[in-house]
Amino acid sequence: MGSRSPLVAATQSVRRAVRTLAATRRPAGYHGSYQGDVAFFEGWYVKLVSADSSARLALIPGVFRGGTAEADEAFVQVLDGVTGESWFEVFPVASFDADARAFDVTVGGNRFGDRGIVLDLPGPGLAGEVTFGALDPWPVTCAAPGVMGRYAWVPVMECYHGLLSFDHRLEGALTLGGRELDFTGGRGYLEKDWGRSFPSAYVWMQSNHFAAPGVSLSASIATIPWGRSSFRGFIVGLRLPGEGGALHRFATYTGAVTEELRVDDATVTWIMRAPDGVRLHLRATRGRGGLLHAPARAAAHRRVEETLDARIEVRLIDPAGRVVFHDTGEVAGLEVHGDVAGLGALHDR
């Protein structure tokens, strides 16, 4: 038996590598089935905004595995972006199921997928069904499998990210605490995170409600552990309307750099420059926030303040200094967490 142990271990390693390779090319799917016994979390962020913006919800179904059966749990988080109320509903981990190939997640009696959601959450009194139109994901290629680019292939990242849809149409209605929320004709957004832990400091912002139809923005910058040190990594996608939907990428892996990052009690100002000299200016104004939970290594209960009523002013400037796009995103998502001053002092990798 002992002589076969190295062979068994090698076989298991090969199987895990094959599953990791396949999962990396499918960022929307579940990545937890090949993680072994290490602490791990995975959560899908589902944003719903009604046609008149009077109803705004963020939903996060997910799972946290703390390395022991007692620490494991499934969950659904809910943020009411109008009132600022939030709920964290815990479920037995056995009630969690997810597809490794696509966005298809079940937590208890709640179903989340690329075609829509079906909810029955007694805690907040949230129930109903909303269907999604065609999704608009960040492109996935072998060289750059999604929003993380080539960093998606790095096996030691603390946190991985996927952008499943910049923008899609909504149909249907939910009830929340006895109130009916009609999302027909509204807009949705989908993203996800998985790994060991959220970054110790980060800024995240998102909006697909601009005056110009078809414009979407998703932007994040964070402290990234790297061996015994750390660096400042960022990913920004600005989707503009037009044939094919032009996607302007500003990211660490594209060679872009952050020229300025300032955060105060009211605003986030962020200026970045691409290698070709194009600049992107973002100015986010904070609004009232709710509380969501960002997984740490030991628990899934580290609180993060988020708002769904921020505003993001966006200016895209060509190398000659001409403003080629200027608009403001409304009902925007915004999170600011951790030592943001330290994040601003770090260098881009």
Side-chain angles (χ1 to χ4, degrees):
M1 178 70 70
S3 62
R4 293 202 302 268
S5 295
L7 177 59
V8 171
T11 300
Q12 290 175 340
S13 296
V14 170
R15 287 176 177 172
R16 181 173 295 181
V18 170
R19 295 175 78 177
T20 302
L21 179 67
T24 299
R25 298 179 63 180
R26 297 187 178 101
Y30 178 51
H31 293 75
S33 59
Y34 59 87
Q35 299 294 329
D37 296 329
V38 299
F40 175 82
F41 79 94
E42 189 153 6
W44 291 256
Y45 178 92
V46 182
K47 181 184 177 186
L48 311 173
V49 179
S50 65
D52 62 0
S53 300
S54 64
R56 305 188 292 275
L57 291 181
L59 311 168
I60 303 180
V63 65
F64 175 77
R65 298 188 182 276
T68 65
E70 294 77 15
D72 294 351
E73 64 184 21
F75 58 85
V76 178
Q77 300 185 56
V78 179
L79 169 66
D80 185 336
V82 174
T83 67
E85 294 178 280
S86 62
W87 298 265
F88 187 78
E89 300 293 299
V90 177
F91 295 80
V93 73
S95 71
F96 174 86
D97 186 49
D99 193 319
R101 298 161 298 178
F103 177 33
D104 187 357
V105 178
T106 299
V107 183
N110 304 277
R111 184 80 178 266
F112 305 82
D114 53 16
R115 296 184 179 180
I117 59 174
V118 180
L119 301 177
D120 184 11
L121 287 167
L126 181 61
E129 180 175 358
V130 175
T131 59
F132 301 159
L135 303 187
D136 178 21
W138 190 290
V140 174
T141 66
C142 289
V147 66
M148 290 190 66
R150 62 177 181 271
Y151 279 100
W153 294 112
V154 177
V156 294
M157 301 295 287
E158 183 179 53
C159 183
Y160 297 86
H161 187 60
L163 202 165
L164 312 189
S165 183
F166 280 99
D167 186 34
H168 51 271
R169 184 176 174 84
L170 306 176
E171 298 286 339
L174 302 172
T175 57
L176 175 61
R179 294 181 291 127
E180 181 170 339
L181 309 178
D182 184 4
F183 288 102
T184 296
R187 313 306 306 175
Y189 171 81
L190 294 173
E191 65 170 46
K192 65 173 297 192
D193 295 282
W194 69 96
R196 298 287 302 279
S197 177
F198 262 44
S200 59
Y202 65 88
V203 176
W204 169 87
M205 61 184 75
Q206 178 276 329
S207 179
N208 51 10
H209 285 74
F210 290 82
V215 176
S216 299
L217 172 79
S218 180
S220 59
I221 184 168
T223 300
I224 309 297
W226 195 259
R228 297 181 179 180
S229 63
S230 59
F231 68 94
R232 184 173 61 189
F234 64 94
I235 306 169
V236 179
L238 174 62
R239 172 77 84 187
L240 298 181
E243 187 175 353
L247 177 57
H248 294 267
R249 299 171 171 90
F250 293 80
T252 304
Y253 59 81
T254 68
V257 296
T258 292
E259 294 187 323
E260 182 179 343
L261 178 65
R262 289 188 291 107
V263 181
D264 59 35
D265 290 340
T267 61
V268 176
T269 301
W270 183 8
I271 302 172
M272 64 208 81
R273 185 185 76 251
D276 61 3
V278 174
R279 282 180 168 84
L280 183 64
H281 291 223
L282 304 178
R283 186 176 185 274
T285 305
R286 294 193 194 189
R288 179 179 54 193
L291 292 175
L292 296 179
H293 298 260
R297 289 186 185 276
H301 300 88
R302 189 171 68 199
R303 286 178 173 268
V304 176
E305 184 177 8
E306 179 185 336
T307 179
L308 290 182
D309 61 359
R311 304 175 78 244
I312 308 172
E313 183 183 9
V314 179
R315 284 187 293 158
L316 187 66
I317 302 172
D318 71 13
R322 294 183 295 264
V323 176
V324 296
F325 175 78
H326 185 196
D327 203 345
T328 299
E330 306 289 348
V331 293
L334 177 65
E335 290 181 23
V336 178
H337 173 73
D339 181 13
V340 180
L343 175 63
L346 283 175
H347 295 291
D348 301 329
R349 184 173 175 80

